[in-house]
């Protein structure tokens, strides 16, 4: 939960006055999202989300994120639509931060997803990949293989403080990943962070995707690996094969995985697990005093990594061929 | 900023289904309010605020707060209106907490109030006092004089860690207050916490009052003393006489202060200052690890107390007779 930047009512009124959405009636900080400050904005034209981009988001990446949301929304993906100001720009500045207003999406994220939710996510992910196919901009994945060893080095020898053996396990997995990481898989726009809190449902049906601020150009199947990690494990750490089957089958009904993607799925899952383990570990070891956000547990992804390292093939995730 | 209790979508859907407001479309935790968990709730019937009452609010006090909001709203005070469920009850339980749904109020709180805002608050406060005159319930002020010495004792000899001399200054002021605290002033319903974040404005005009969870039965002029403390000091600690004049004059245009109230105003202002200094001090010394709320600075109110102890009469706050 987070609002990092305070906005005065005068600043907000001047900012909103550059848009064609009427006067501000209300603005409430939202206790969700870890990276940016989000406000639910009510104006004479309706409800919107106002986002102030905080330091973790690089300003030069914002045109990619904003452009992608516009591109996807135009192709029928239900995601926040950037609202343009009177000069036709979707990106402005507020309280010293880059800022954007996007449409408000109804829906709730599910705390306990079932197989039907996992199927919804698989289908939406494949549709997102298809819709992104002709998106003209590129953004390398800043949190892929080349970033993982430097991230681990930021943990600075303190990994074993979090869990004995974590350093050794991570170094082993890193060496395997550096040896086995696939090349030449089908690439395109990926969400790269499609966790449960970024997917809205209404009445059991997926109603929207949000938070495109890790989106980038990378192997499409890596995005599926992120989702298998985020959606298909139980609280006790076990992988739920029913959920995996539901997600993969729904994905493949829209976009069939290539043989190379199928073969690579286990290593992609290991990669996705280590990516989230490492960023969580670095955050865990660097909680600033007075932090407003509780760090997420890196060991959840250490345990998932352990599962993936024992996996023999994509069938273990529920893929049926 | 705070959401202390997580609510699953299933729990929320069942709770909202007991009301006549349609299905839940969205619920977002609001990063405001220190005492309770608040969600902006969108249902098929519109936008509402859902509040889960956390441990600082005593459940037995909730009928007073809910009843008061209903009473005031019926008398034209713009405040959140409790929504009743199909059984006619405004208070239910959700995720193990007492919970209520109230109407959504437009408006923004002002971070830098000017004299016109102070006048708006003075007028609204007097109208609240008038509207509360026939409210039949009573609730003693749990944070008045008898609570202050025990609160100070909770600080447990550590006040001087926060500021050298704080313990001595507080004990002197406490002794004075115990000697001088007035008796027999006009009593009624007071808000008791009408800080800037609890007053909404729209286009420069006061549009609503929120957060009645400290409301109680006490001396009406004490409520004005709380507001003089909360609204009329500058960031540098100086009292702004123009703001004080504006607030008191606007209050008196609705409800004229009695001679006894005028005479008591300086001691009431000292009492209000020590009340907020003490609760802040206790919070400051007891920040739990992983706290989601940054404690407020007790020394701000220590400095205000210092000002009030040098005040000669209500004229020093801007009262004109």
């Amino acid at each position: 939960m987070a609002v990092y930047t305070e906005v005065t009512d005068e600043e907000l009124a001047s900012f909103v006055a550059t848009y064609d959405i009427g006067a501000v009636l209300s603005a409430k900080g939202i206790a969700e999202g870890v990276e940016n400050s989000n406000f639910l904005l009510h104006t004479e034209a309706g409800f919107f989300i106002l986002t102030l981009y905080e330091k973790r988001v690089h300003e030069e990446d914002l045109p990619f994120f904003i452009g992608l949301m516009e591109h996807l929304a135009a192709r029928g993906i239900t995601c926040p639509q950037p609202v343009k100001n009177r000069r036709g720009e979707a990106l402005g500045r507020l309280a010293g931060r880059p800022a954007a207003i996007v449409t408000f999406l109804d829906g709730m994220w599910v705390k306990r997803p079932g197989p039907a939710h996992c199927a919804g996510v698989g289908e939406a992910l494949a549709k997102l990949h298809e819709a992104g196919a002709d998106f003209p901009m590129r953004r390398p994945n800043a949190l892929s293989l080349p970033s993982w060893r430097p991230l681990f080095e930021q943990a600075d020898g303190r990994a074993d403080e979090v869990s004995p053996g974590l350093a050794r396990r991570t170094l082993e997995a890193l060496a395997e990943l550096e040896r086995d990481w696939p090349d030449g898989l089908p690439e395109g726009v990926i969400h790269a962070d499609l966790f449960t809190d970024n997917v809205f449902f209404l009445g059991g049906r997926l109603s929207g995707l949000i938070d495109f601020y890790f989106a980038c150009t990378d192997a499409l199947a890596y995005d599926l690996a992120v989702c298998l990690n985020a959606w298909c494990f139980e609280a006790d750490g076990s992988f739920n094969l029913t959920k995996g089957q539901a997600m993969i089958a729904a994905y493949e009904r829209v976009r069939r995985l290539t043989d190379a993607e199928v073969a690579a799925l286990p290593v992609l899952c290991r990669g996705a697990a280590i990516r989230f383990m490492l960023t969580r570990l670095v955050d865990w070891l660097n909680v600033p005093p007075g932090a407003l956000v509780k760090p997420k547990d890196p060991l959840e992804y250490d345990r998932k990594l352990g599962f993936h390292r024992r996996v023999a093939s994509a069938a273990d995730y529920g893929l049926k061929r």
Side-chain angles (χ1 to χ4, degrees), chain A:
Chain A
M1 56 185 65
V3 169
Y4 303 94
T5 301
E6 289 282 355
V7 182
T8 67
D9 34 330
E10 297 91 346
E11 286 172 310
L12 180 61
S14 329
F15 180 75
V16 170
T18 67
Y19 291 79
D20 257 331
I21 55 175
V24 180
L25 300 176
S26 165
K28 298 205 182 294
I30 300 176
E32 283 180 14
V34 172
E35 303 292 332
N36 301 314
S37 297
N38 291 300
F39 298 85
L40 190 98
L41 181 69
H42 187 205
T43 77
E44 288 166 340
F47 282 84
F48 302 89
I49 299 288
L50 164 69
T51 300
L52 271 63
Y53 299 99
E54 301 293 343
K55 61 181 189 303
R56 279 220 189 179
V57 174
H58 294 116
E59 200 161 346
E60 63 272 24
D61 288 333
L62 287 172
F64 179 92
F65 303 139
I66 299 281
L68 178 60
M69 287 189 276
E70 287 176 337
H71 179 94
L72 295 174
R75 277 151 190 80
I77 305 291
T78 315
C79 65
Q81 244 185 298
V83 178
K84 289 183 171 163
N85 64 21
R86 291 208 188 82
R87 290 201 305 242
E89 295 156 350
L91 198 58
R93 286 197 84 81
L94 176 55
R97 293 279 173 203
I101 293 174
V102 301
T103 52
F104 177 82
L105 279 193
D106 273 322
M108 318 260 298
W109 65 275
V110 287
K111 274 94 183 168
R112 291 193 287 252
H117 299 109
C118 294
V121 170
E123 181 188 348
L125 189 73
K127 286 182 174 169
L128 186 158
H129 291 167
E130 303 256 283
D134 60 342
F135 183 58
M137 299 173 82
R138 282 188 65 82
R139 178 180 175 263
N141 186 352
L143 289 170
S144 189
L145 182 76
S147 72
W148 298 337
R149 197 168 284 273
L151 271 174
F152 183 68
E153 282 158 8
Q154 276 186 53
D156 195 33
R158 296 169 58 204
D160 282 0
E161 290 175 23
V162 178
S163 165
L166 179 60
R168 181 189 50 73
R169 290 193 298 278
T170 306
L171 284 168
E172 282 175 14
L174 267 178
E176 292 165 10
L177 284 162
E178 285 160 350
R179 185 190 66 208
D180 301 339
W181 195 242
D183 218 352
L185 296 177
E187 283 201 346
V189 167
I190 69 167
H191 185 286
D193 193 40
L194 203 55
F195 276 59
T196 49
D197 52 344
N198 290 331
V199 180
F200 288 170
F201 289 86
L202 265 180
R205 292 182 59 86
L206 191 145
S207 62
L209 310 176
I210 64 163
D211 203 347
F212 286 78
Y213 302 110
F214 287 98
C216 54
T217 317
D218 203 348
L220 301 177
Y222 175 72
D223 223 5
L224 181 59
V226 170
C227 289
L228 288 166
N229 272 283
W231 289 80
C232 302
F233 284 85
E234 298 303 305
D236 67 3
S238 65
F239 184 80
N240 184 319
L241 195 64
T242 308
K243 293 181 183 174
Q245 277 172 354
M247 180 179 284
I248 296 175
Y251 184 93
E252 287 213 293
R253 277 194 290 276
V254 178
R255 177 184 173 272
R256 190 176 159 87
L257 296 167
T258 67
D259 290 347
E261 288 179 310
V262 169
L265 201 57
V267 66
L268 293 173
C269 282
R270 278 188 268 146
I274 209 165
R275 171 256 182 271
F276 289 101
M277 193 284 286
L278 286 169
T279 51
R280 288 183 175 196
L281 178 64
V282 170
D283 288 347
W284 190 270
L285 293 171
N286 294 287
V287 179
L292 300 171
V293 172
K294 211 175 209 165
K296 292 180 178 158
D297 183 9
L299 296 179
E300 179 190 342
Y301 276 82
D302 176 47
R303 288 187 293 269
K304 290 178 180 178
L305 181 58
F307 171 81
H308 299 309
R309 291 178 72 197
R310 295 186 300 274
V311 151
S313 78
D316 294 342
Y317 296 115
L319 181 114
K320 291 192 173 164
R321 274 292 147 87

